[in-house]
Amino acid sequence: MSAPVQNSLYSAVSPAMTQTRSTLERPEERLIQTFDVWQLKDRTVRGLLEKGFSLAICCKHCPRMIEWTPAELLAKFEGKLDVKLADLVPRLSCSGEEGCGSKEVAVFPHLYDGEWGWPPP
């Protein structure tokens, strides 16, 4: 029914950042297929971090889903926290070893299950 969460690992992200077990489940297929970038309005990476949300990225063509935790978001966008999610989505794709290659993705905020405080110490 729902695919397990796979945390993508990047060189800027330490393994300790991805150790928390997430309760994130893939949203209903209807929500994924009807997602459109306009729904993000002016939301930014900073807004996710301030509210303690991770970012779920779901492929529209296969069951793959990844979660970028607040720590991963901070590592990836440290100098660009005010980037709008609507500007980020077109640059995302279902790539990598397990990806199908699709450039059509849906993104959703998810209240992060681990410990997170903003601003970080």
Side-chain angles (χ1 to χ4, degrees):
M1 180 166 181
S2 60
V5 173
Q6 301 170 7
N7 281 319
S8 58
L9 299 176
Y10 292 82
S11 59
V13 179
S14 74
M17 293 180 184
T18 61
Q19 304 244 338
T20 301
R21 183 129 176 98
S22 178
T23 59
L24 176 63
E25 294 183 8
R26 187 176 168 93
E28 294 177 26
E29 196 61 29
R30 174 186 60 81
L31 294 174
I32 292 170
Q33 294 305 321
T34 58
F35 168 82
D36 202 334
V37 75
W38 67 265
Q39 294 168 317
L40 297 171
K41 300 179 182 172
D42 288 334
R43 292 185 178 97
T44 64
V45 170
R46 182 184 303 277
L48 292 177
L49 296 175
E50 289 174 344
K51 293 179 173 113
F53 283 96
S54 60
L55 185 66
I57 306 168
C58 305
C59 181
K60 287 188 169 189
H61 293 279
C62 76
R64 187 170 186 224
M65 175 180 68
I66 62 170
E67 178 180 18
W68 283 353
T69 66
E72 289 175 302
L73 288 166
L74 183 60
K76 293 175 194 315
F77 299 100
E78 191 166 3
K80 304 170 267 183
L81 294 179
D82 293 316
V83 68
K84 291 182 181 177
L85 298 178
D87 294 337
L88 176 63
V89 171
R91 299 184 347 223
L92 299 176
S93 67
C94 186
S95 59
E97 195 172 295
E98 298 174 24
C100 71
S102 173
K103 294 193 180 288
E104 293 185 53
V105 299
V107 299
F108 302 94
H110 176 258
L111 187 58
Y112 182 57
D113 298 306
E115 291 185 31
W116 176 256
W118 186 260

